Amino acid sequence: GENVEQHPSTLSVQEGDSAVIKCTYSDSASNYFPWYKQELGKGPQLIIDIRSNVGEKKDQRIAVTLNKTAKHFSLHITETQPEDSAVYFCALGGNTGFQKLVFGTGTRLLVSP
Amino acid sequence: KAGVTQTPRYLIKTRGQQVTLSCSPISGHRSVSWYQQTPGQGLQFLFEYFSETQRNKGNFPGRFSGRQFSNSRSEMNVSTLELGDSALYLCASSSGTAAGTEAFFGQGTRLTVV
């Protein structure tokens, strides 16, 4: 069935370091992999997404890589800044033909100045 | 372009009561999905509406229901509230024209059941 594991649950880095969050999934029919950032008191914000016909996508300091064979995808944040501190969620979609997303359990990222 | 609007932002209800939450999607978007977010269960899919029809449903009891209007605005209703229904309820707006299109979330409605 649909399941996605996200690691680590917490991640502390120094400003300027890189951060990597990884998600693994089991449903090979999934073909849409978005990442969301949620700040305290706000709804999740879509920051980047990738589809199964693409292996990597980059947008300024953030990038997502997808390995469909191994069924895992990762979020990479370079040159982290304190404002990157938030909870990050990976998600799976596209396998039901509709808009349902299955979310990972979240990673709390703390960037220290 | 206005984002997703959810009202109210906060609600306090008593066990046994019912509640209605509202979501106005991004202009032009026809799909509205609802999610429940709790510390213990994370983000869980409730249901999706597209062009006034429910086309997907999660594993929640029948006390959770929803509807969508012709202008794409959506409401969800929870009847006979239980303490465990306390959560942040989020709605997501998307064009919905193909599987796995970008979904944009509102700020959520924080429901507290006492």
Side-chain angles (χ1 to χ4, degrees):
Chain A
E2 303 156 331
N3 184 45
V4 55
E5 293 188 8
Q6 183 173 344
H7 297 283
S9 57
T10 59
L11 181 58
S12 294
V13 300
Q14 293 290 317
E15 183 177 0
D17 287 349
S18 294
V20 180
I21 303 169
K22 183 176 178 179
C23 287
T24 57
Y25 62 98
S26 55
D27 187 354
S28 57
S30 299
N31 59 18
Y32 178 59
F33 308 89
W35 285 89
Y36 286 85
K37 174 185 180 182
Q38 188 173 26
E39 296 174 303
L40 199 60
K42 297 185 177 181
Q45 174 194 359
L46 178 65
I47 56 172
I48 196 167
D49 58 11
I50 195 168
R51 298 179 190 281
S52 59
N53 57 347
V54 176
E56 182 174 357
K57 183 177 178 181
K58 189 173 181 180
D59 182 4
Q60 299 183 340
R61 295 187 299 108
I62 61 173
V64 56
T65 57
L66 170 65
N67 184 326
K68 257 215 131 185
T69 302
K71 295 182 187 171
H72 65 72
F73 57 112
S74 300
L75 177 71
H76 304 254
I77 307 174
T78 59
E79 299 171 30
T80 53
Q81 301 167 3
E83 50 265 39
D84 294 329
S85 296
V87 180
Y88 292 80
F89 293 94
C90 63
L92 304 177
N95 54 348
T96 65
F98 306 125
Q99 302 307 309
K100 175 182 177 181
L101 294 174
V102 176
F103 282 86
T105 49
T107 295
R108 184 172 298 278
L109 174 65
L110 176 61
V111 181
S112 303
Chain B
K1 196 172 185 180
V4 181
T5 303
Q6 291 189 245
T7 56
R9 290 291 312 278
Y10 303 93
L11 268 177
I12 300 176
K13 290 286 187 179
T14 305
R15 270 182 303 175
Q17 288 186 314
Q18 72 166 16
V19 67
T20 299
L21 314 181
S22 178
C23 173
S24 292
I26 292 169
S27 178
H29 282 186
R30 294 160 62 190
S31 169
V32 174
S33 298
W34 289 89
Y35 292 82
Q36 182 195 64
Q37 185 175 28
T38 60
Q41 298 299 316
L43 278 150
Q44 292 189 295
F45 173 77
L46 280 156
F47 30 66
E48 182 206 355
Y49 285 86
F50 181 81
S51 292
E52 302 180 65
T53 301
Q54 185 185 91
R55 65 178 184 181
N56 205 355
K57 189 176 189 301
N59 295 324
F60 279 82
R63 299 185 297 106
F64 293 80
S65 63
R67 60 178 176 169
Q68 187 179 33
F69 303 95
S70 58
N71 62 357
S72 293
R73 189 178 70 87
S74 177
E75 291 180 346
M76 68 163 281
N77 184 277
V78 188
S79 61
T80 319
L81 284 165
E82 300 177 359
L83 294 179
D85 297 333
S86 295
L88 180 66
Y89 289 89
L90 294 157
C91 82
S93 163
S94 66
S95 65
T97 53
T101 52
E102 295 171 324
F104 300 94
F105 282 83
Q107 299 256 52
T109 294
R110 171 75 63 187
L111 172 64
T112 302
V113 182
V114 297

